[in-house]
Each structure stands twice: as C-alpha cells, then as structure tokens.
Amino acid sequence: MDKLPSSIFNDVIGPVMRGPSSSHVAGASRIAAIVRQSLGGDASEALVDFDVNGSLAESHDGHGTDMGFVSGIMGIEMTDPAVPNAERLAKEAGIPVRFRVLDYGAVHPNHYRIAATGKNGVSHDWEAISVGGGMIEMQKYDGFDVRIEGDFYELLVTADTGRSIDDLVSAIKKICPGFDFIDAKQVSHKSLVALKFAAQPDPSATEALRALPGVLDVVQLEPILPTHSRATCTVPFRTPNELAALAKTEPHALWEFAARYEAARGGTTPDEAFEKMRGIVAIMENAVTEGLRGTAYEDRILGPQAFKIDESSTKGRLIPCDVLNTTIKFITAIMEVKSAMGVIVAAPTAGSCGCLPGTILGVGKTLNLPQEEIVKGMLAAGIVGVFIAELATFAAEVAGCQVECGAGSGMAAAGVAQMMGGSVEQCLDAASIALQNITGLACDPVANRVEVPCLGKNVMGGANAIASANMALAGYERVIPLEQTIGAMYDIGTKLPLELRCTFGGLGKTQASLEIRERLEKAVGTKN
C-alpha cells in the first residue's frame, strides 16, 4: 500500500493533548493505545525497550514518553487531567510497566520494542516508531512486518501453515468482502493476513474468522486518528508546485484550497473542515487565556512569564510594537500551559505549539480581525504543514528544530499573509522566505525538558513569520520556491550531527543545563 496523502488534522494541526512533547507523549500514548486494543482490554504488564543509540534512551523520562505510554496502555485519553499521574496510577492498580535501554540495533531514533500481556492472558509483541507531531507507525506485530498508522479499522488474522496462504486469503475475502486493503505474509510456521477497512467491519465477521480452520487469533483495531482513511482517497494536489499550477486556473484563496483538500482527504465537505478548524482555534484561544491567568507545575524550569509583557509595556519599558509584543505574550502563554501539563494543540508539534497559534492569534487579536479570518489563516497554515509532512518531517529527532519551530514559523507566515488578504502565491512565498531563514536550526533542549531554548525559538519563529509575511506581501523576491526550500530544509536537517537532533548536544550539554537537570531530578525524587 502506498502512503496516503497527509491530513491537516492528523499530521499537522493536532493532536489535542497534555504534555511537553507530541513525539514522546502523544506518540507513545497512541502506540500504547493500539497495543492495548490488541490485548482485547486492560493490560496486566508491559515491557518497553528503547535502543541505546536512539533519542528515547536519553529523553524518554524528561520528555514524557513514559507518561504517555502508561496513559495509553491504561486507556487514559491524552486530554485527561490524569495523564501527568499515569505512572502512579498504574502502580496503584498493580500494572507494572517497565522501560529498558538496550543495544538492539534500531534504525529509527524514536523506536519502541514492546511486549505486553492482557489481564485475559493474551500476549503480543510489537515494534513501532513515533514519526513526529504525534504520528506513529506500528511496524511489527508478533514478528510480522505490518504498517498500521491508526487511520483505518484493522483486522489481523494469524493462522498456522496447515493450509496454503492463498486458500486462507480466499476464505477471509468471502467473510470480509468490504476491505480497502489486504496483505498476506508468512513467517516460519505462521501466516498473517492483515485487512484495512474504511468503515467498521461487521462484528460477526470476527467470530466467523476465528472459526476458520487453522486460524489461531484475530485482533481487531479501531482508528485512533481524527481523520480516517479509505482506498479511494484522492486529493486535488500534494505539492506546492501542483497547488501553484491549480491556483493559476482557479481563483481561490489559500484557505479555500486547504478546506477543499482536507474535505477530499477525509471524505467530508469544505464547510465541515472549516468548522473543525474553528473548534481547534477555540482550544488554542483557551490555552492563551489559561496561560495569561498563570500556571503552576513543579517539574519545570521556567515559572509564569507571559504577564511580564503587559506589565513592562504599561511602564514604557518595551520597544513599541503592538503586534509583535502581543504575539510574544500569546506564544509564551501557550508554552507555559504546555509545560504545566495543560491542554494544548500540537501545531505542528507540542515543542513548537506556541509559534503558530500564538502568531496567528496575536496578529488577529491585535488587528481586531473576526474569528473567521483567524480560522482562514489557520487553514492556510495547515496546508503548508501538509507540504512539509509530505516532503520532510516534523520530528526534531530526524531533522532538528527547523522542522518543529521552523516549520511552525513557515506555516504561520502563510497564515498571516492569508489574514492580510494575500494571494496563494504570496502566502506560499511567505512560507518559503520564513523557512529559508531557519535552515540548520538545532534541537538542544536544556535539562531534558522541552522549555529552553524552545520558548525562545517559538518566539523567534513568530517574529520571523510576521517579517516574512510582510516581505512577501510587499513583493520581495522569495528566490527559492517553497517546494525546493522544504527539500533543502530536510536535506540540511538529516545532515545535522545526532547530538543536534534532540539528543542533548549544544545547550543541553552546558554546565548550567546539567546543574538544572540534577536539581529538578532531585526535587522529583524527593517528592516521590
């Protein structure tokens, strides 16, 4: 099965979550949620391995991987207030979840190797990766290669080799004729037939499959992503070049193309895509409100600071710039809610959750734009994010912070240009200019926490977005087209040394960082 087109609400704007990192908390939670489904209910125990050479070996505790995985294996939703306490709740419930760091040769930096057992005695082994922004890929199931991303209903039928695999597939097709994709393979003494469905298969099919001669097990999985997939999924464009060509023949704004794209991707309507984004914007606005009200959380580096912008502005201590100062304030407020385990939208990631919404809302609120224009700006930003998801990645572990805060900045630039009435060409040029300005941005979190220099990079991304939007709107030459800029950004990112791709080089290895980490870990240990 070829990779299906990216979705604004799957890959770019979302998930709605708690925790410091979407790759770590949301990704881990989603991986664990699929493992839990495969067990047919509550887990009795789980063992999770991380490769010593991957990013998770160093960061799984400070970035929230443990918290996210335990939440998912216990069935706790990512927005539940219980997420920060998941590990304690698992211990109280007598569910041991152990994490080990081993040298087993994983290729991807965010690789998981999992052995889990359910309270019903069912056991399964899984391997999976978190690919950025909360997106995942389950790659192995009980020794079989699979590709499960959480956007389909799935049936995994395991059988012995007493009958030919062709005969098994034929029998399964008769019971489940409505599948979208089917894949069959054999490993050693077992066969696996994996089926994907756009719609939930008839529950009676599972029992009929179990009754087939030679069938050993049938696992049914439900989608975990907001936008589901189907075999007939087609979209009007997949690259900036294809969109630019279409825009020359159809005089629509970028937000309209974005809504049309997402409607085609999700099998809905442009109006439904618009209203879904309106709901996302409301969550972002609430995060700003909560952040400005003040947040508290023990295990973090920075205390509340967002209020300081208004306080200092009132005293005449800041350079006058209403749009920029409001943007700084909003970005800070959202980042503080994230660090206090409040509800935020990963856009495109949790580590970069302040840049895009803080900039779009900061510009919109300062200019007194109606919410509809802010929603349009966010849709425009979302389609630029789709291009980044298609041509690059949102995982800093793969390509550095340029694909997190940098990507958020490019998306925000397009959104701001949209809110100012920019054409499709101007919006894409704004995104390209912004991305050109941040190539090579390292990811070097201080003290194993997603706070510093993340806050500053989110703020920098917002300022860069506003400047880049104005440059494009004024007619500045973007020189490099967006599609080529994204390709160059990805190329540069993958060539960064591993220690500058979220494995604690740079600022993360300074003496000050090590001292802060020791102090925080001591405080947490004392409390426990």
Side-chain angles (χ1 to χ4, degrees), residues 323-373:
V323 170
L324 182 57
N325 287 334
T326 300
T327 296
I328 294 171
K329 177 176 66 175
F330 283 10
I331 290 174
T332 305
I334 295 170
M335 293 294 287
E336 289 176 0
V337 169
K338 182 265 302 177
S339 294
M341 299 296 165
V343 175
I344 53 94
V345 180
T349 69
S352 62
C353 69
C355 177
L356 172 59
T359 304
I360 297 294
L361 292 171
V363 171
K365 300 297 183 182
T366 305
L367 300 181
N368 293 314
L369 298 178
Q371 192 191 56
E372 282 74 12
E373 296 304 313

Short mmCIF file of all heavy atoms in Angstrom, two decimals, residues 323-373:
data_model
loop_
_atom_site.label_atom_id
_atom_site.label_comp_id
_atom_site.label_asym_id
_atom_site.label_seq_id
_atom_site.Cartn_x
_atom_site.Cartn_y
_atom_site.Cartn_z
N VAL A 323 1.74 44.41 17.63
CA VAL A 323 1.56 43.09 17.04
C VAL A 323 2.62 42.12 17.56
O VAL A 323 2.30 41.01 18.01
CB VAL A 323 1.60 43.15 15.51
CG1 VAL A 323 1.67 41.74 14.92
CG2 VAL A 323 0.38 43.87 14.96
N LEU A 324 3.87 42.53 17.54
CA LEU A 324 4.94 41.64 17.96
C LEU A 324 4.85 41.34 19.45
O LEU A 324 5.00 40.18 19.88
CB LEU A 324 6.30 42.26 17.63
CG LEU A 324 7.52 41.39 18.00
CD1 LEU A 324 7.45 40.03 17.32
CD2 LEU A 324 8.81 42.10 17.63
N ASN A 325 4.60 42.36 20.26
CA ASN A 325 4.53 42.13 21.71
C ASN A 325 3.36 41.25 22.10
O ASN A 325 3.46 40.41 23.00
CB ASN A 325 4.49 43.46 22.45
CG ASN A 325 5.83 44.17 22.44
OD1 ASN A 325 6.87 43.52 22.33
ND2 ASN A 325 5.82 45.49 22.53
N THR A 326 2.23 41.43 21.43
CA THR A 326 1.08 40.55 21.70
C THR A 326 1.40 39.11 21.28
O THR A 326 1.05 38.16 21.97
CB THR A 326 -0.17 41.04 20.96
OG1 THR A 326 -0.48 42.37 21.39
CG2 THR A 326 -1.37 40.14 21.23
N THR A 327 2.08 38.98 20.16
CA THR A 327 2.48 37.65 19.69
C THR A 327 3.42 36.98 20.69
O THR A 327 3.26 35.79 21.01
CB THR A 327 3.14 37.75 18.31
OG1 THR A 327 2.18 38.23 17.36
CG2 THR A 327 3.67 36.40 17.84
N ILE A 328 4.40 37.72 21.19
CA ILE A 328 5.32 37.17 22.20
C ILE A 328 4.54 36.71 23.43
O ILE A 328 4.76 35.62 23.97
CB ILE A 328 6.38 38.21 22.60
CG1 ILE A 328 7.29 38.53 21.42
CG2 ILE A 328 7.21 37.72 23.79
CD1 ILE A 328 8.23 39.71 21.67
N LYS A 329 3.62 37.55 23.86
CA LYS A 329 2.81 37.24 25.05
C LYS A 329 1.97 35.99 24.83
O LYS A 329 1.93 35.10 25.70
CB LYS A 329 1.90 38.44 25.35
CG LYS A 329 0.95 38.24 26.51
CD LYS A 329 0.16 39.51 26.81
CE LYS A 329 -0.77 39.88 25.67
NZ LYS A 329 -1.61 41.06 26.01
N PHE A 330 1.32 35.87 23.68
CA PHE A 330 0.47 34.72 23.40
C PHE A 330 1.29 33.43 23.26
O PHE A 330 0.90 32.37 23.76
CB PHE A 330 -0.35 34.96 22.13
CG PHE A 330 -1.54 35.87 22.32
CD1 PHE A 330 -1.71 36.60 23.49
CD2 PHE A 330 -2.48 36.02 21.32
CE1 PHE A 330 -2.81 37.45 23.66
CE2 PHE A 330 -3.58 36.85 21.47
CZ PHE A 330 -3.74 37.57 22.64
N ILE A 331 2.42 33.52 22.57
CA ILE A 331 3.28 32.34 22.42
C ILE A 331 3.74 31.85 23.78
O ILE A 331 3.69 30.66 24.09
CB ILE A 331 4.49 32.66 21.52
CG1 ILE A 331 4.04 32.84 20.06
CG2 ILE A 331 5.55 31.55 21.61
CD1 ILE A 331 5.15 33.31 19.13
N THR A 332 4.17 32.78 24.63
CA THR A 332 4.63 32.43 25.97
C THR A 332 3.52 31.78 26.78
O THR A 332 3.73 30.77 27.47
CB THR A 332 5.16 33.66 26.70
OG1 THR A 332 6.17 34.29 25.91
CG2 THR A 332 5.75 33.29 28.06
N ALA A 333 2.33 32.35 26.70
CA ALA A 333 1.19 31.81 27.46
C ALA A 333 0.91 30.36 27.07
O ALA A 333 0.70 29.49 27.92
CB ALA A 333 -0.05 32.67 27.22
N ILE A 334 0.91 30.07 25.76
CA ILE A 334 0.64 28.71 25.30
C ILE A 334 1.74 27.75 25.74
O ILE A 334 1.47 26.64 26.20
CB ILE A 334 0.48 28.68 23.76
CG1 ILE A 334 -0.77 29.48 23.34
CG2 ILE A 334 0.37 27.25 23.25
CD1 ILE A 334 -0.88 29.72 21.85
N MET A 335 2.98 28.20 25.63
CA MET A 335 4.11 27.34 26.03
C MET A 335 4.06 27.05 27.53
O MET A 335 4.42 25.95 27.98
CB MET A 335 5.43 28.01 25.66
CG MET A 335 5.68 28.13 24.16
SD MET A 335 5.88 26.52 23.34
CE MET A 335 7.50 26.05 23.92
N GLU A 336 3.61 28.02 28.32
CA GLU A 336 3.52 27.80 29.77
C GLU A 336 2.41 26.81 30.11
O GLU A 336 2.56 26.00 31.03
CB GLU A 336 3.31 29.14 30.47
CG GLU A 336 4.57 29.99 30.44
CD GLU A 336 4.39 31.37 31.05
OE1 GLU A 336 3.27 31.69 31.51
OE2 GLU A 336 5.36 32.13 31.04
N VAL A 337 1.31 26.84 29.37
CA VAL A 337 0.25 25.85 29.58
C VAL A 337 0.77 24.46 29.23
O VAL A 337 0.52 23.49 29.94
CB VAL A 337 -0.99 26.21 28.73
CG1 VAL A 337 -2.00 25.06 28.72
CG2 VAL A 337 -1.65 27.47 29.27
N LYS A 338 1.51 24.38 28.15
CA LYS A 338 2.11 23.10 27.75
C LYS A 338 3.02 22.55 28.85
O LYS A 338 2.94 21.38 29.23
CB LYS A 338 2.88 23.28 26.44
CG LYS A 338 3.51 22.02 25.87
CD LYS A 338 4.95 21.84 26.27
CE LYS A 338 5.83 22.98 25.86
NZ LYS A 338 7.22 22.79 26.33
N SER A 339 3.89 23.41 29.39
CA SER A 339 4.84 22.98 30.41
C SER A 339 4.17 22.67 31.75
O SER A 339 4.76 21.99 32.59
CB SER A 339 5.91 24.05 30.61
OG SER A 339 6.69 24.19 29.44
N ALA A 340 2.95 23.17 31.94
CA ALA A 340 2.20 22.89 33.16
C ALA A 340 1.21 21.74 32.97
O ALA A 340 0.33 21.53 33.80
CB ALA A 340 1.45 24.14 33.61
N MET A 341 1.37 21.00 31.87
CA MET A 341 0.52 19.84 31.56
C MET A 341 -0.92 20.22 31.31
O MET A 341 -1.85 19.43 31.53
CB MET A 341 0.59 18.78 32.68
CG MET A 341 1.97 18.23 32.91
SD MET A 341 2.60 17.35 31.47
CE MET A 341 4.36 17.26 31.89
N GLY A 342 -1.13 21.45 30.82
CA GLY A 342 -2.47 21.85 30.41
C GLY A 342 -2.77 21.36 29.00
O GLY A 342 -1.92 20.75 28.34
N VAL A 343 -3.98 21.62 28.53
CA VAL A 343 -4.40 21.16 27.21
C VAL A 343 -3.94 22.15 26.14
O VAL A 343 -4.25 23.34 26.20
CB VAL A 343 -5.94 20.99 27.14
CG1 VAL A 343 -6.38 20.63 25.73
CG2 VAL A 343 -6.39 19.93 28.14
N ILE A 344 -3.20 21.63 25.17
CA ILE A 344 -2.73 22.44 24.04
C ILE A 344 -2.98 21.68 22.74
O ILE A 344 -3.36 20.50 22.75
CB ILE A 344 -1.23 22.81 24.17
CG1 ILE A 344 -0.36 21.55 24.38
CG2 ILE A 344 -1.02 23.77 25.32
CD1 ILE A 344 0.22 20.95 23.14
N VAL A 345 -2.77 22.37 21.63
CA VAL A 345 -2.82 21.72 20.32
C VAL A 345 -1.40 21.63 19.78
O VAL A 345 -0.72 22.65 19.67
CB VAL A 345 -3.70 22.52 19.33
CG1 VAL A 345 -3.74 21.82 17.97
CG2 VAL A 345 -5.11 22.69 19.88
N ALA A 346 -0.93 20.44 19.49
CA ALA A 346 0.37 20.29 18.86
C ALA A 346 0.25 20.81 17.42
O ALA A 346 -0.49 20.24 16.63
CB ALA A 346 0.80 18.83 18.86
N ALA A 347 0.95 21.91 17.11
CA ALA A 347 0.75 22.54 15.82
C ALA A 347 2.05 23.15 15.31
O ALA A 347 2.28 24.34 15.52
CB ALA A 347 -0.33 23.63 15.93
N PRO A 348 2.92 22.42 14.65
CA PRO A 348 2.72 21.03 14.27
C PRO A 348 3.17 20.02 15.33
O PRO A 348 2.89 18.84 15.20
CB PRO A 348 3.59 20.88 13.02
CG PRO A 348 4.74 21.82 13.27
CD PRO A 348 4.13 23.00 14.00
N THR A 349 3.88 20.49 16.38
CA THR A 349 4.31 19.58 17.45
C THR A 349 4.04 20.27 18.79
O THR A 349 3.75 21.47 18.84
CB THR A 349 5.81 19.26 17.35
OG1 THR A 349 6.58 20.43 17.67
CG2 THR A 349 6.19 18.76 15.97
N ALA A 350 4.17 19.53 19.88
CA ALA A 350 3.98 20.14 21.20
C ALA A 350 5.16 21.05 21.54
O ALA A 350 4.98 22.11 22.15
CB ALA A 350 3.81 19.07 22.27
N GLY A 351 6.37 20.66 21.15
CA GLY A 351 7.52 21.51 21.41
C GLY A 351 7.47 22.83 20.68
O GLY A 351 8.10 23.81 21.09
N SER A 352 6.70 22.88 19.59
CA SER A 352 6.54 24.12 18.82
C SER A 352 5.10 24.61 18.85
O SER A 352 4.64 25.31 17.95
CB SER A 352 6.97 23.89 17.36
OG SER A 352 6.16 22.91 16.73
N CYS A 353 4.37 24.26 19.92
CA CYS A 353 2.93 24.54 19.97
C CYS A 353 2.59 26.01 20.14
O CYS A 353 1.44 26.40 19.99
CB CYS A 353 2.27 23.73 21.08
SG CYS A 353 2.74 24.27 22.76
N GLY A 354 3.58 26.86 20.48
CA GLY A 354 3.29 28.27 20.70
C GLY A 354 3.39 29.12 19.46
O GLY A 354 2.63 30.07 19.26
N CYS A 355 4.34 28.79 18.59
CA CYS A 355 4.66 29.65 17.45
C CYS A 355 3.48 29.92 16.54
O CYS A 355 3.10 31.07 16.32
CB CYS A 355 5.82 29.04 16.66
SG CYS A 355 6.25 29.97 15.17
N LEU A 356 2.89 28.87 15.99
CA LEU A 356 1.80 29.05 15.02
C LEU A 356 0.56 29.68 15.63
O LEU A 356 0.13 30.76 15.19
CB LEU A 356 1.47 27.71 14.35
CG LEU A 356 0.22 27.71 13.46
CD1 LEU A 356 0.34 28.72 12.34
CD2 LEU A 356 -0.02 26.30 12.90
N PRO A 357 -0.05 29.08 16.67
CA PRO A 357 -1.27 29.71 17.20
C PRO A 357 -1.01 31.06 17.85
O PRO A 357 -1.83 31.98 17.72
CB PRO A 357 -1.78 28.69 18.23
CG PRO A 357 -0.61 27.86 18.57
CD PRO A 357 0.24 27.80 17.35
N GLY A 358 0.14 31.20 18.54
CA GLY A 358 0.44 32.48 19.17
C GLY A 358 0.58 33.59 18.16
O GLY A 358 0.16 34.73 18.41
N THR A 359 1.16 33.29 17.00
CA THR A 359 1.33 34.29 15.95
C THR A 359 0.02 34.62 15.27
O THR A 359 -0.34 35.80 15.10
CB THR A 359 2.35 33.80 14.92
OG1 THR A 359 3.58 33.48 15.57
CG2 THR A 359 2.61 34.87 13.87
N ILE A 360 -0.72 33.59 14.87
CA ILE A 360 -1.99 33.82 14.18
C ILE A 360 -2.97 34.56 15.10
O ILE A 360 -3.62 35.54 14.69
CB ILE A 360 -2.60 32.47 13.72
CG1 ILE A 360 -1.70 31.78 12.71
CG2 ILE A 360 -4.00 32.69 13.15
CD1 ILE A 360 -1.56 32.47 11.39
N LEU A 361 -3.07 34.12 16.35
CA LEU A 361 -3.97 34.78 17.29
C LEU A 361 -3.45 36.16 17.67
O LEU A 361 -4.24 37.11 17.83
CB LEU A 361 -4.14 33.92 18.55
CG LEU A 361 -4.90 32.60 18.37
CD1 LEU A 361 -4.81 31.75 19.63
CD2 LEU A 361 -6.37 32.87 18.01
N GLY A 362 -2.14 36.29 17.82
CA GLY A 362 -1.57 37.59 18.17
C GLY A 362 -1.85 38.63 17.11
O GLY A 362 -2.26 39.76 17.41
N VAL A 363 -1.64 38.27 15.85
CA VAL A 363 -1.92 39.20 14.74
C VAL A 363 -3.41 39.45 14.64
O VAL A 363 -3.87 40.60 14.53
CB VAL A 363 -1.38 38.64 13.41
CG1 VAL A 363 -1.86 39.48 12.23
CG2 VAL A 363 0.15 38.58 13.44
N GLY A 364 -4.21 38.38 14.71
CA GLY A 364 -5.66 38.53 14.57
C GLY A 364 -6.28 39.39 15.64
O GLY A 364 -7.10 40.28 15.36
N LYS A 365 -5.88 39.16 16.91
CA LYS A 365 -6.45 39.92 18.01
C LYS A 365 -6.00 41.38 17.99
O LYS A 365 -6.78 42.29 18.27
CB LYS A 365 -6.09 39.27 19.35
CG LYS A 365 -6.56 37.83 19.53
CD LYS A 365 -8.07 37.70 19.50
CE LYS A 365 -8.49 36.26 19.76
NZ LYS A 365 -9.95 36.05 19.69
N THR A 366 -4.73 41.61 17.67
CA THR A 366 -4.23 42.99 17.64
C THR A 366 -4.93 43.80 16.56
O THR A 366 -5.22 44.99 16.74
CB THR A 366 -2.71 42.99 17.40
OG1 THR A 366 -2.07 42.18 18.38
CG2 THR A 366 -2.16 44.41 17.50
N LEU A 367 -5.21 43.16 15.43
CA LEU A 367 -5.86 43.86 14.31
C LEU A 367 -7.38 43.78 14.39
O LEU A 367 -8.07 44.23 13.47
CB LEU A 367 -5.38 43.27 12.99
CG LEU A 367 -3.87 43.35 12.72
CD1 LEU A 367 -3.53 42.75 11.36
CD2 LEU A 367 -3.37 44.79 12.79
N ASN A 368 -7.91 43.20 15.48
CA ASN A 368 -9.37 43.08 15.67
C ASN A 368 -10.05 42.34 14.51
O ASN A 368 -11.15 42.71 14.08
CB ASN A 368 -10.01 44.46 15.86
CG ASN A 368 -9.58 45.11 17.16
OD1 ASN A 368 -9.55 44.47 18.21
ND2 ASN A 368 -9.20 46.38 17.08
N LEU A 369 -9.41 41.30 14.02
CA LEU A 369 -10.00 40.51 12.95
C LEU A 369 -11.04 39.55 13.53
O LEU A 369 -10.87 39.03 14.64
CB LEU A 369 -8.92 39.70 12.22
CG LEU A 369 -7.82 40.50 11.53
CD1 LEU A 369 -6.80 39.55 10.89
CD2 LEU A 369 -8.40 41.44 10.48
N PRO A 370 -12.13 39.30 12.80
CA PRO A 370 -13.13 38.34 13.28
C PRO A 370 -12.55 36.93 13.32
O PRO A 370 -11.57 36.62 12.62
CB PRO A 370 -14.26 38.44 12.26
CG PRO A 370 -13.62 39.01 11.03
CD PRO A 370 -12.52 39.89 11.50
N GLN A 371 -13.14 36.05 14.12
CA GLN A 371 -12.60 34.70 14.27
C GLN A 371 -12.55 33.97 12.93
O GLN A 371 -11.65 33.16 12.70
CB GLN A 371 -13.43 33.89 15.27
CG GLN A 371 -12.72 32.58 15.66
CD GLN A 371 -13.59 31.63 16.43
OE1 GLN A 371 -14.66 31.25 15.96
NE2 GLN A 371 -13.14 31.22 17.62
N GLU A 372 -13.49 34.26 12.04
CA GLU A 372 -13.49 33.59 10.74
C GLU A 372 -12.17 33.82 10.00
O GLU A 372 -11.65 32.90 9.34
CB GLU A 372 -14.65 34.10 9.86
CG GLU A 372 -16.01 33.53 10.21
CD GLU A 372 -16.59 34.12 11.50
OE1 GLU A 372 -16.04 35.12 11.98
OE2 GLU A 372 -17.59 33.56 12.00
N GLU A 373 -11.61 35.01 10.11
CA GLU A 373 -10.35 35.30 9.43
C GLU A 373 -9.19 34.56 10.09
O GLU A 373 -8.24 34.15 9.42
CB GLU A 373 -10.08 36.81 9.41
CG GLU A 373 -11.11 37.61 8.62
CD GLU A 373 -11.25 37.11 7.19
OE1 GLU A 373 -10.21 36.90 6.53
OE2 GLU A 373 -12.40 36.93 6.74
#
